[in-house]
Amino acid sequence: MPDSSRDSLAGAGWESQKPGSYQELMPARVVNLSWLNPATLWKARNGPLAALFGDPTGADRQRWVAGQVERGAATGDLVIERDDPDAFSFLLLGDTGEGDDPQYAVVPGLLKAGEGTRYAVICSDVLYPVGSANEYGTKFFRPYRDYDAPIYPIPGNHDWYDGLTGFMRVFCRAPALPRSPRPRALTPAWWRTLLWAEPDTPDDARLDADRLMRSAPAQAASLPGPYWAMDTGPIRIIGIDTGLLGDIDREQGEWLRRVSRGPRPKILVTGSPIYVDGEHHPCAIEGGGTVDEIVRDPAHHYVAAIGGDIHNYQHYPVDVDGRRIEYVVSGGGGAFMHATHTIPRVAVGGVTEDDFRCYPMRGDSLAFYSRLYGRRLRMRRFFDLTPDQAAAALAERLDLKPVRVTGAAVTARTRFVAGLLGAPPRPHRGRRMRLPVRRVLTRLLSPGSATYSPPFFKSFLRLDVSPAAVRVRCFAATGLREHEVDPPVEDDFTIPLPGGA
């Protein structure tokens, strides 16, 4: 097995000079997506507008589902039936489609580690920035054209930035929703509609041509709606749609309670992770209750909850009344990397630093961003930290032992750069300090930026299912040639199944 980032600098991708072959898969002309570009932010304005003036997602989602049922494209339970054996494997990745180097860099390793898998699941944000049906060619069909199995996605907030029109046309063959009645003047909904971005009109001829890239019978997949349940071998996978703001409507909540019943072991797939960045986000259900309450109910037999939205890998094994539920963030499938060095020392849900795993490791994340902003601000001599320097600075701030052995000294410069780029402050009298200034700097300098040269620190999961257990492995995708041929494993754990042998 090759070195991982936990073993060596080479395993992390810092020492290789051999870029991968992924660029051979890309189209001749690629538009790099920049989240520092005001035009990109303007296209994605529906999220902030929904937060300010009310979220129409729940009502629109109900209309989408009702239309599917009326057309006979779905039953009320939205269940996908498969004929998988009791032992099989599948892939899972999230936040994929920017259509640039980081997305395509995942593909060679995914095809290698995904050999023999029966399907893939995408958890959140199939496309960026707004999920337009007219961009699926280069951001979905082309990158995964050689994956010879079905792909089943759930939408993320960016797929909702066009009202889910592109997602529903591509995966459900659904016509666009009729325009909603205009709201009364001067109401919050009226103010929202003044700036609301309308969805692109799908170019069906272009979409039909794009579909040819994944037209083999073995690749065929059809979704019943924006959320679904899938019976597959000995388990049931349940995918929920958390819309623009990370919650679910009453109707979907009632459906979730209904399809969660019964003794079959279940895995939740969600666009909004429940444990993330050292915090618990149980996901509210309109009318009362939370998604996590349903997951924790022992009568429902959930063994894992896997979410996207945050573009890295995190693993929280949580003890729930004597049962372990594995809460995972798997959003490293192709979009820009969200920092892990901003995650404070973990103490949530009974999970401590000894139990917690993330990829990239915090030190690699800080080194990545120090180089990014050193180049961007033309201050490399000041900003750039080596991976060893970054790991040492974070070990001091968080009172942690570096995973990789490092002899780097912590200096005033490395301390200052770590703090400027959002590293948590030192614990003060046993409590975490939450300074507004640090939050502002973290949001401005650390999340939301992309780089187009390896290592990319992307990731995906392979899940091997048997009647007794599910083995989960997190594979790294750095964009380097040796890691395409033999993807490193960054995490590996096994989930016993209730009633398993």
Side-chain angles (χ1 to χ4, degrees):
M1 183 177 294
D3 277 0
S4 73
S5 69
R6 306 179 70 84
D7 300 315
S8 66
L9 290 172
W14 291 118
E15 295 184 340
S16 174
Q17 301 298 317
K18 298 178 182 177
S21 62
Y22 65 89
Q23 290 185 334
E24 299 170 8
L25 307 174
M26 300 172 68
R29 182 176 180 273
V30 174
V31 178
N32 290 331
L33 183 62
S34 171
W35 290 99
L36 300 179
N37 185 339
T40 302
L41 298 178
W42 179 246
K43 287 181 181 178
R45 64 188 181 273
N46 286 359
L49 289 173
L52 287 172
F53 299 112
D55 183 6
T57 300
D60 286 347
R61 183 188 295 119
Q62 292 171 22
R63 295 167 66 205
W64 282 119
V65 172
Q68 288 292 96
V69 173
E70 289 171 5
R71 285 188 298 276
T75 64
D77 279 344
L78 305 176
V79 175
I80 301 168
E81 298 286 353
R82 289 186 52 88
D83 60 352
D84 299 304
D86 285 345
F88 72 98
S89 302
F90 69 97
L91 296 174
L92 188 146
L93 65 164
D95 303 282
T96 53
E98 288 190 349
D100 46 24
D101 290 63
Q103 178 179 12
Y104 280 86
V106 175
V107 175
L110 181 142
L111 295 176
K112 180 68 175 179
E115 290 177 354
T117 56
R118 294 181 66 90
Y119 58 84
V121 174
I122 294 180
C123 60
S124 180
D125 292 339
V126 183
L127 250 65
Y128 294 91
V130 295
S132 170
N134 299 325
E135 296 183 9
Y136 268 80
T138 57
K139 298 180 180 182
F140 176 76
F141 290 107
R142 185 184 181 101
Y144 309 121
R145 60 185 174 181
D146 293 326
Y147 180 64
D148 198 25
I151 298 176
Y152 301 99
I154 58 167
N157 57 316
H158 286 268
D159 299 305
W160 269 101
Y161 286 168
D162 82 330
L164 211 63
T165 300
F167 182 98
M168 293 297 293
R169 180 65 62 88
V170 170
F171 298 111
C172 303
R173 306 268 183 170
L177 289 178
R179 186 182 292 271
S180 300
R182 188 169 182 82
R184 289 187 297 109
L186 303 181
T187 61
W190 181 83
W191 288 108
R192 183 184 65 227
T193 58
L194 294 181
L195 295 174
W196 195 256
E198 294 296 326
D200 291 341
T201 301
D203 183 336
D204 286 323
R206 177 179 176 180
L207 189 53
D208 286 343
D210 291 339
R211 289 184 193 276
L212 295 176
M213 288 184 277
R214 277 190 53 84
S215 59
Q219 296 172 320
S222 179
L223 294 184
Y227 53 89
W228 43 262
M230 182 161 67
D231 291 331
T232 171
I235 64 173
R236 169 170 278 194
I237 299 174
I238 297 175
I240 62 172
D241 170 18
T242 54
L244 284 171
L245 302 182
D247 52 19
I248 68 175
D249 61 280
R250 186 191 307 267
E251 182 179 284
Q252 186 180 181
E254 293 171 353
W255 168 87
L256 179 60
R257 292 185 177 95
R258 189 167 65 249
V259 298
S260 296
R261 296 174 187 146
R264 194 169 193 157
K266 299 173 185 72
I267 296 174
L268 181 77
V269 179
T270 170
S272 297
I274 293 174
Y275 281 89
V276 60
D277 293 346
E279 298 176 346
H280 182 217
H281 298 273
C283 185
I285 300 174
E286 181 188 18
T290 69
V291 169
D292 199 28
E293 289 174 357
I294 297 173
V295 170
R296 288 168 177 259
D297 188 332
H300 295 154
H301 299 282
Y302 278 92
V303 296
I306 306 174
D309 188 52
I310 303 300
H311 306 168
N312 51 47
Y313 173 81
Q314 300 174 43
H315 176 202
Y316 301 82
V318 178
D319 184 274
V320 180
D321 300 326
R323 298 176 298 118
R324 174 172 285 188
I325 299 178
E326 309 288 351
Y327 292 88
V328 175
V329 179
S330 182
F336 71 87
M337 188 193 87
H338 276 131
T340 59
H341 67 265
T342 60
I343 302 173
R345 185 183 176 95
V346 170
V348 62
V351 179
T352 67
E353 277 292 328
D354 292 337
D355 310 310
F356 172 70
R357 283 287 184 97
C358 67
Y359 178 77
M361 294 192 300
R362 290 183 179 95
D364 290 331
S365 170
L366 178 57
F368 177 97
Y369 274 99
S370 75
R371 294 185 179 193
L372 174 66
Y373 281 97
R375 291 194 302 269
R376 204 163 263 170
L377 300 175
R378 299 184 180 180
M379 299 175 64
R380 296 190 64 170
R381 292 185 62 184
F382 173 74
F383 267 99
D384 277 15
L385 303 180
T386 68
D388 285 349
Q389 289 172 331
L394 286 168
E396 180 187 80
R397 293 177 78 92
L398 296 176
D399 191 22
L400 298 173
K401 182 179 179 180
V403 177
R404 289 194 308 257
V405 176
T406 171
V410 182
T411 66
R413 181 183 73 90
T414 57
R415 288 189 186 101
F416 182 80
V417 171
L420 185 64
L421 293 181
R426 298 181 189 180
H428 179 66
R429 295 180 182 177
R431 300 176 63 186
R432 294 178 190 157
M433 297 174 64
R434 297 188 179 275
L435 301 178
V437 172
R438 188 182 77 82
R439 284 187 175 277
V440 171
L441 288 174
T442 298
R443 291 185 178 277
L444 285 176
L445 292 176
S446 197
S449 299
T451 186
Y452 300 105
S453 58
F456 293 118
F457 296 108
K458 300 288 93 188
S459 59
F460 59 91
L461 306 184
R462 175 177 170 131
L463 293 89
D464 300 308
V465 181
S466 73
V470 178
R471 182 187 182 188
V472 182
R473 282 175 287 174
C474 173
F475 287 92
T478 62
L480 298 170
R481 187 171 296 272
E482 59 265 39
H483 294 158
E484 291 181 346
V485 174
D486 200 357
V489 176
E490 293 292 336
D491 196 11
D492 187 346
F493 60 95
T494 298
I495 308 171
L497 295 183

